[in-house]
Amino acid sequence: DINWHQRKAMRNLLLLITFVPTVVAWSPLYRQLRPESFLRAARQTEHDGVISSSSESSINRRKFVSFGAMAALPITSHPAIAMNNKSRSKGYAVQKTDAEWRATLTPTQYDILRLGGTERPYSSILEGEKRAGTFVCAGCGTPLFASDQKFKSGTGWPSFARGLDGVEVEDVSQVTANLVGAELRCGTCGGHLGDVFADGFLFPGTPAFTSGKRYCIDGAALVFEPANGDSFVRGDLSPPKREPDWLSPPNISARKAV
């Protein structure tokens, strides 16, 4: 038998599924209220008694919780909305001890790949990378994304319309995938990459508009291998600092002699 509380929860969930996606999609604030803000903040983990170094950025990103995630939490405790509890090591081809991962990766790479942390927006040099090439896993070198699928999303994280075969997508219900997305991992080593969202239709003129997906990736989880043979670029490096335009000296033309 279904009691009154269960019926009410089911009714509210049905209303949520029906109306929230439409409201969110047309909201002018959606570009600022991204779903990844909720999911990535939820995946901040405590390791060996120390909060992940990305916890500070996690707190900032909680200000940008998506409408769908906020509305869903009081209504249902469906396990699919919880963070991915699958092991990051068992069942993957590349196996290393925690000590080996710490020795292999930089602190930022370890925080993202092994602890599921989140980098600050616009903190990775790869966010602005436009050259042809392949983005591979920083932990094991598995090819993950092709450069022709990269696009400018305005979120501050490297974004792609499609992933290569090396990308593993968290198995969640269609409702969860549409509302709050799914975690992405390297299919070879289990390293956390980011999240995928079904809002590609919001980016006309980009590959995401065709795929319907937006792969929102932490740049520190990647290494870029240029197609022209140039040196590899680690995604945990910061972009070069650029002075604001208003600090640049004005262009003054010499006066013509009369």
Side-chain angles (χ1 to χ4, degrees):
D1 292 340
I2 300 178
N3 61 36
W4 179 83
H5 293 287
Q6 291 174 322
R7 287 198 302 270
K8 183 178 179 181
M10 293 174 63
R11 182 199 65 187
N12 291 339
L13 182 58
L14 180 60
L15 290 173
L16 171 71
I17 295 171
T18 304
F19 295 109
V20 168
T22 302
V23 174
V24 171
W26 288 99
S27 170
L29 296 176
Y30 182 74
R31 290 295 180 94
Q32 283 73 43
L33 302 177
R34 295 285 180 179
E36 63 263 37
S37 310
F38 167 74
L39 266 191
R40 291 185 170 201
R43 291 197 178 101
Q44 306 306 313
T45 56
E46 185 172 350
H47 186 75
D48 293 337
V50 180
I51 297 294
S52 165
S53 62
S54 61
S55 59
E56 183 179 350
S57 61
S58 165
I59 294 173
N60 294 333
R61 294 174 65 157
R62 289 179 189 272
K63 298 177 183 177
F64 300 96
V65 176
S66 72
F67 288 128
M70 289 180 67
L73 286 177
I75 297 173
T76 177
S77 58
H78 194 287
I81 296 180
M83 66 181 182
N84 191 355
N85 291 319
K86 180 181 176 183
S87 170
R88 296 193 190 280
S89 56
K90 295 180 180 178
Y92 292 99
V94 173
Q95 299 276 332
K96 293 184 180 181
T97 65
D98 185 67
E100 289 173 331
W101 281 121
R102 287 180 180 273
T104 302
L105 304 172
T106 66
T108 303
Q109 290 173 335
Y110 177 83
D111 180 57
I112 303 291
L113 289 167
R114 308 317 305 174
L115 301 184
T118 301
E119 68 192 15
R120 291 180 179 274
Y122 298 104
S123 64
S124 171
I125 193 173
L126 296 185
E127 193 276 334
E129 181 60 64
K130 297 179 180 179
R131 292 176 293 174
T134 304
F135 296 83
V136 305
C137 176
C140 64
T142 298
L144 299 174
F145 299 98
S147 59
D148 61 359
Q149 294 301 308
K150 190 174 186 292
F151 69 100
K152 191 76 172 180
S153 66
T155 62
W157 291 278
S159 299
F160 302 87
R162 297 174 179 85
L164 299 176
D165 292 341
V167 177
E168 176 185 289
V169 182
E170 180 186 8
D171 185 15
V172 298
S173 70
Q174 189 62 45
V175 173
T176 300
N178 289 336
L179 287 179
V180 292
E183 184 191 8
L184 299 172
R185 294 185 181 184
C186 172
T188 303
C189 69
H192 174 74
L193 304 175
D195 305 282
V196 59
F197 303 96
D199 61 359
F201 65 92
L202 293 175
F203 303 92
T206 72
F209 189 77
T210 303
S211 70
K213 305 289 185 182
R214 173 172 58 93
Y215 289 71
C216 187
I217 308 301
D218 289 292
L222 305 175
V223 171
F224 177 63
E225 299 182 353
N228 61 6
D230 285 348
S231 300
F232 296 172
V233 181
R234 290 201 339 251
D236 61 332
L237 299 177
S238 300
K241 291 185 178 181
R242 178 178 175 273
E243 286 188 346
D245 293 336
W246 60 271
L247 285 178
S248 301
N251 293 323
I252 301 176
S253 300
R255 294 183 61 180
K256 295 182 179 180
V258 178

